[in-house]
Amino acid sequence: MRLLIKNIKELIQVESAPVAYKAGKEMRNMHTVKHAWLLIQDDKIADFGGMNSPLPAADQTIDATGKMVFPCFCDSHTHIIYKGSREIEYIDKIRGLSYEEIAKRGGGILNTALRMHEATEEELYRDAWLRLEEMKAHGTGAVEIKSGYGLSTEDELKMLRVIKQLKADSALTVKANFLGAHAVPANYKGRQSEYVDLIVNEMIPKVAEEKLADFIDVFCDRGFFTVDDTDRILEAGTRYGLIPKIHANELDYSGGIQIGVKHHALSVDHLECTGDAEIEALLHSRTMPTLLPGAAFFINMPYAPARKMINAGLPVAMASDFNPGTCPSGNMQLILSMGCIKFRMLPEEAITATTINTAYAMNVSDSLGSIAKGKTANVFITKPIPTYEYMPYSFGDNKVETVILNGKIQ
Ligand code: NIG
Ligand code: FE
C-alpha cells in the first residue's frame, strides 16, 4: 500500500542523515522542505521531495494544500494509568498549599494510590485508552507510561499489565516504566528503607519475570526517595535489564541528576533545580535532560533553566508528564507553546525537544521523531496554517487535522 501526501505547504523536521538527538545550537537547526510530497509505503516513510520533482505513483493520495506535515510528537513521560481526578487538591493549591504540603497530608500520589487499589484492570484500561485517543488527536504518536500509583507489588503489577495491554492494542507506540519508588506507601510510613527492600527484592524481579517494563524510575527528591535509595533501586533494576529514566531535581538540588548520570539513565526528568554542577554532569553523559513545563505551570513552581542548558550545549527534551496531580493534560501542542513562552525556546528548538529528543528519551529515535527514509510513518497533517511557528504561537486550540500512525490514517 502506497500513500502519497502531495502539495504539502511545508514538511517539517526532515533528516537525510538521521541523528539520535540534537544538542545545543543544533536544536534550532531544523530542516524542512517547502511545497513537498511525502510517500508512505505500508508502515514506513519511503521517500519525500519537492513538488517540482516527479511525483511517485501511489494507491491513495491526500492533497494537503495549505497544510503542513510534522513527525508525530513523542511524549516520553506520562502517568496516564489512574482512576479519578484530584481537583479538590487543585483548590487547596489555589488557597496556597504547596505540592509537598498536600503530599504530607496524605493527598497527592497517596490519594491516587487509594483509588488505584480499588480499581479493576478493565476500568483502568478504559480510562487510559480514552486519554491515549485524546493525545493521539492532538498529534502524539508515541507514549511512555509509568506505573507508580500501586505502591504494592500486586497493584504495581496491575498497572503494568494494563500498560502491556495498551501496548498490544493501541496504534501508538507505548513504552512501560516501572515506578514503584514514586512515594512511600502509608503502610510503610517511617520504614522507607524496608519499602526500598520490597522494591529491590520482590517488585523488580517480578516485573522482569513477566517482562512488564522497559524502564525503571525513581522519584529522587526531597521528601521522597534519597540518592542512596535511588542508587540501590537503579543498580537492581539495571541488573534485571531495565533502563533507568528518573524523576530528579524537581523540588531541590537533590543529587538526582548526578545519580541518574552515574547509572547511565536514558533521561532525567523535571530538573527545575538545575545549577552549574548538574549541567556539568549532564554534559559528560548521553542522558537526555527532559523538562516538563506543564507540571511547573500547573503547580506554579519555578521553571527549569532551559535556555541556560541549551546555551551550555546540552540537548533538551520536553514531555507532558500527564498525571492527575501536576499536569492533567497530555496536549503536546500546549507543551510546545510553554517551551517557547516560559523557556524562551525558539519554535525550532521546541519542535526538536518534543519530537527527536523525546524519541531518544524513550529509546525509539532510530524509528520515530523525524521525517526520514525508512522511519516508521507516524506523522500528522495540520489544519491550514500560515507558518510552522504558528504551532506554538496559536496556543489552546487543536491544529492537528489528520493523524497517520504506522502508515494508517487514524
Ligand atoms: O511527575 N513528581 C512526581 N510525580 C508526578 C506527580 C504525580 C502525582 O502528583 O500524582 C510528576 O509530577
Ligand atoms: Fe512525572
Side-chain angles (χ1 to χ4, degrees):
M1 167 71 190
R2 285 159 70 92
L3 171 64
L4 177 70
I5 310 175
K6 67 174 187 183
N7 291 328
I8 301 167
K9 183 165 183 166
E10 196 160 354
L11 183 60
I12 307 298
Q13 189 75 290
V14 299
E15 288 188 306
S16 43
V19 293
Y21 61 82
K22 289 184 182 178
K25 284 202 182 75
E26 267 307 297
M27 282 187 68
R28 71 180 68 166
N29 194 8
M30 184 183 81
H31 303 290
T32 72
V33 182
K34 288 197 167 125
H35 205 48
W37 54 264
L38 174 70
L39 180 69
I40 294 170
Q41 171 129 23
D42 302 321
D43 62 340
K44 297 278 189 299
I45 294 171
D47 208 353
F48 54 84
M51 287 300 289
N52 50 4
S53 62
L55 282 189
D59 305 301
Q60 190 184 349
T61 301
I62 298 175
D63 187 339
T65 300
K67 305 169 185 177
M68 299 201 181
V69 173
F70 282 67
C72 280
F73 298 115
C74 295
D75 192 347
S76 62
H77 182 137
T78 80
H79 310 246
I80 61 165
I81 312 295
Y82 62 86
K83 190 85 198 128
S85 46
R86 304 215 307 255
E87 58 273 33
I88 300 302
E89 291 173 14
Y90 175 66
I91 307 301
D92 287 340
K93 261 180 274 189
I94 294 169
R95 292 211 161 100
L97 283 190
S98 72
Y99 182 67
E100 285 168 286
E101 282 163 340
I102 291 168
K104 276 205 190 102
R105 290 168 150 204
I109 296 165
L110 296 186
N111 183 353
T112 300
L114 283 178
R115 303 203 208 179
M116 178 59 64
H117 186 63
E118 307 295 324
T120 64
E121 282 187 34
E122 291 70 30
E123 288 169 331
L124 294 168
Y125 178 92
R126 211 172 41 231
D127 289 0
W129 179 268
L130 294 177
R131 291 181 192 118
L132 277 181
E133 288 295 297
E134 195 62 25
M135 293 163 88
K136 181 169 82 179
H138 286 80
T140 296
V143 182
E144 180 256 33
I145 311 176
K146 299 171 194 298
S147 68
Y149 291 124
L151 309 181
S152 69
T153 305
E154 188 193 341
D155 290 343
E156 283 295 310
L157 293 178
K158 174 166 79 177
M159 288 187 78
L160 289 167
R161 288 188 192 117
V162 172
I163 301 172
K164 187 175 183 177
Q165 198 56 47
L166 292 168
K167 224 185 220 197
D169 299 348
S170 176
L172 284 95
T173 301
V174 172
K175 294 276 180 179
N177 193 346
F178 167 57
L179 175 55
H182 198 191
V184 177
N187 55 334
Y188 276 83
K189 198 164 184 224
R191 299 187 294 133
Q192 177 150 337
S193 64
E194 287 174 47
Y195 183 59
V196 174
D197 291 341
L198 181 77
I199 292 172
V200 167
N201 299 327
E202 186 175 295
M203 292 190 191
I204 291 174
K206 289 211 166 136
V207 168
E209 189 189 313
E210 275 192 55
K211 294 195 177 19
L212 288 173
D214 305 286
F215 308 125
I216 182 150
D217 201 337
V218 177
F219 187 7
C220 178
D221 228 319
R222 186 181 68 208
F224 290 84
F225 291 88
T226 66
V227 167
D228 287 346
D229 296 335
T230 308
D231 202 23
R232 282 188 63 201
I233 294 167
L234 297 188
E235 189 277 321
T238 307
R239 226 177 331 110
Y240 280 89
L242 303 173
I243 300 169
K245 248 176 84 63
I246 69 169
H247 285 72
N249 296 50
E250 176 184 10
L251 308 171
D252 204 353
Y253 293 82
S254 58
I257 292 177
Q258 287 89 338
I259 195 71
V261 166
K262 178 185 155 193
H263 286 275
H264 307 290
L266 187 57
S267 73
V268 287
D269 301 19
H270 273 294
L271 316 190
E272 284 78 2
C273 301
T274 299
D276 294 340
E278 287 76 14
I279 289 178
E280 189 56 26
L282 286 163
L283 278 170
H284 297 102
S285 78
R286 300 264 302 164
T287 297
M288 178 61 68
T290 300
L291 311 184
L292 311 169
F297 167 75
F298 192 79
I299 60 175
N300 212 9
M301 299 256 299
Y303 286 81
R307 200 61 270 159
K308 188 173 170 180
M309 295 164 87
I310 297 172
N311 292 349
L314 285 176
V316 161
M318 288 195 296
S320 75
D321 198 16
F322 194 169
N323 77 78
T326 67
C327 188
S329 165
N331 181 347
M332 289 292 278
Q333 295 175 52
L334 216 42
I335 298 300
L336 264 190
S337 299
M338 289 182 188
C340 294
I341 297 164
K342 303 305 293 190
F343 290 153
R344 292 179 44 239
M345 287 164 96
L346 296 168
E348 296 82 0
E349 292 172 326
I351 293 167
T352 294
T354 49
T355 54
I356 188 67
N357 282 6
T358 33
Y360 177 84
M362 52 186 293
N363 226 1
V364 293
S365 67
D366 54 348
S367 59
L368 297 174
S370 65
I371 307 278
K373 279 189 209 175
K375 280 201 172 185
T376 300
N378 275 20
V379 302
F380 64 77
I381 308 173
T382 66
K383 294 173 182 166
I385 55 173
T387 58
Y388 64 72
E389 290 92 339
Y390 187 84
M391 279 299 269
Y393 158 84
S394 163
F395 76 95
D397 58 338
N398 187 4
K399 290 160 293 287
V400 171
E401 188 170 82
T402 307
V403 178
I404 297 173
L405 295 180
N406 308 306
K408 293 201 180 65
I409 300 170
Q410 301 294 302

